[in-house]
Amino acid sequence: MLSVFKSIPTHMDYKGQKLAEQIFQGIILVSAVIGFIYGLFIQQFGWTVYIMLAGFTVSCFLTLPPWPMYRKNPLKWQPAVPEASGENRDKPQENQKKKKHK
Amino acid sequence: MNTVLSRANSLFAFSLSVMAALTFGCFITTAFKDRSIPVDIHVSKVMIKNVDDFTGPRERSDLGFVTFDISANLQPIFDWNVKELFLYLTAEYSTKSNALNQVVLWDKIVLRGYNTKLNLRDVKSKYFFFDDGNGLRSNKNITLTLSWNVVPNAGILPLVMGSGHKSLAFPESYETAKSY
């Protein structure tokens, strides 16, 4: 069953990771400030915690799944070396190894 | 932050740190508040007996019976950092053998959100008012005060004494046990 979860792609590129971190930090801080002020106003600390938890849930939804906005700057990999010259290099080495065994 | 678990770890740890900061903020806003309120105590009946005291070193000790009324408005004490109040009524006096005696006669727990106007009439003491010896008879000055222990959500638990006390005097003679 674990292989099903491991096969779902969850990666983000670097700029996407930075954006995700900024988003969740911003949301949690804003909900913390709102919660603190509201709790102080109605004199119930329970509401401060509820508003914080709501901010936590919203930022979970926004930053945990890999949305397309986090994949806008993919890494530029080097172009693949063509296969033909690679095979030529391998074969003479294999022949040399076989000769040495004998 | 490449995998979901890594992002979830980072998010959760940040939330906990922010929650700790909020709790500290809650403590700071109420740390220096004066939690004393005026309290009204009346005493309706005072009686004294001289009985066997199995908890003390001597044969017989004085046992006092006090019936009292308490009225106080506890609403100003409750703020967002108070979870409950533990009220207790103390009798304080001095005798020939001991300079200071303090006995707790009655206590009550008042939770947040429950009725905060205290208006109790003809309350008998919950705990025995035993003296360490025979110093209650004809003792002219016994002071009753109501104090409370504030249990907060975050921070220190102060013991606060209410302003307002009642002095009473015990009678000269013991009440003899009635036989029917």
Side-chain angles (χ1 to χ4, degrees):
Chain A
M1 203 184 84
L2 199 58
S3 58
V4 174
F5 290 114
K6 280 190 177 168
S7 65
I8 304 172
T10 59
H11 62 271
M12 297 175 175
D13 52 53
Y14 290 127
K15 287 236 188 307
Q17 289 172 21
K18 179 175 162 187
L19 179 65
E21 185 164 340
Q22 284 174 339
I23 283 178
F24 81 67
Q25 282 179 347
I27 289 180
I28 288 182
L29 282 176
V30 164
S31 69
V33 168
I34 293 175
F36 189 78
I37 294 174
Y38 185 63
L40 185 61
F41 181 65
I42 64 168
Q43 287 288 308
Q44 282 183 30
F45 191 61
W47 274 96
T48 303
V49 178
Y50 294 147
I51 292 176
M52 258 281 314
L53 287 179
F56 174 76
T57 316
V58 167
S59 56
C60 266
F61 178 70
L62 276 181
T63 61
L64 286 184
W67 300 113
M69 66 176 169
Y70 301 125
R71 289 182 177 174
K72 289 236 176 83
N73 296 62
L75 287 172
K76 292 190 177 53
W77 295 104
Q78 289 285 334
V81 177
E83 286 290 317
S85 54
E87 274 177 87
N88 285 336
R89 267 191 285 118
D90 277 329
K91 274 185 181 168
Q93 284 174 354
E94 276 178 82
N95 289 334
Q96 281 173 6
K97 278 184 188 167
K98 280 181 188 168
K99 282 180 186 169
K100 275 181 188 170
H101 274 293
K102 283 180 184 173
Chain B
M1 294 269 287
N2 205 16
T3 60
V4 172
L5 286 179
S6 172
R7 289 195 289 273
N9 179 27
S10 183
L11 184 67
F12 188 63
F14 184 71
S15 302
L16 276 186
S17 304
V18 169
M19 188 71 81
L22 281 181
T23 311
F24 181 74
C26 176
F27 159 64
I28 276 292
T29 53
T30 59
F32 305 107
K33 228 175 109 166
D34 177 33
R35 294 211 159 98
S36 177
I37 54 153
V39 171
D40 213 21
I41 309 174
H42 285 282
V43 173
S44 46
K45 191 173 136 188
V46 173
M47 196 220 334
I48 186 170
K49 280 191 183 171
N50 191 235
V51 293
D52 292 333
D53 182 9
F54 303 109
T55 62
R58 58 190 62 78
E59 280 284 330
R60 287 178 158 256
S61 297
D62 281 355
L63 177 60
F65 293 89
V66 184
T67 311
F68 49 88
D69 307 333
I70 301 183
S71 68
N73 182 20
L74 302 169
Q75 187 52 44
I77 308 177
F78 278 97
D79 51 27
W80 69 333
N81 200 16
V82 173
K83 185 175 162 287
E84 66 179 12
L85 290 184
F86 179 76
L87 309 163
Y88 54 99
L89 185 78
T90 319
E92 196 171 311
Y93 59 98
S94 67
T95 59
K96 283 194 284 279
S97 46
N98 303 316
L100 176 65
N101 301 280
Q102 288 172 326
V103 184
V104 172
L105 299 181
W106 170 92
D107 52 35
K108 184 176 169 62
I109 291 180
V110 178
L111 292 170
R112 191 192 164 77
Y114 284 73
N115 192 15
T116 52
K117 283 198 182 4
L118 217 58
N119 212 352
L120 305 161
R121 299 258 168 271
D122 288 334
V123 184
K124 284 190 281 219
S125 60
K126 237 194 224 183
Y127 307 111
F128 287 126
F129 192 170
F130 263 120
D131 180 45
D132 183 29
N134 298 307
L136 281 186
R137 184 164 65 111
S138 42
N139 195 326
K140 291 284 173 282
N141 191 12
I142 309 225
T143 314
L144 293 179
T145 53
L146 185 71
S147 316
W148 45 89
N149 195 1
V150 180
V151 179
N153 280 325
I156 314 173
L157 286 80
L159 289 170
V160 182
M161 185 151 82
S163 59
H165 59 94
K166 172 80 175 129
S167 294
L168 56 96
F170 271 105
E172 311 275 328
S173 57
Y174 296 124
E175 261 202 39
T176 51
K178 295 187 176 70
S179 54
Y180 293 92

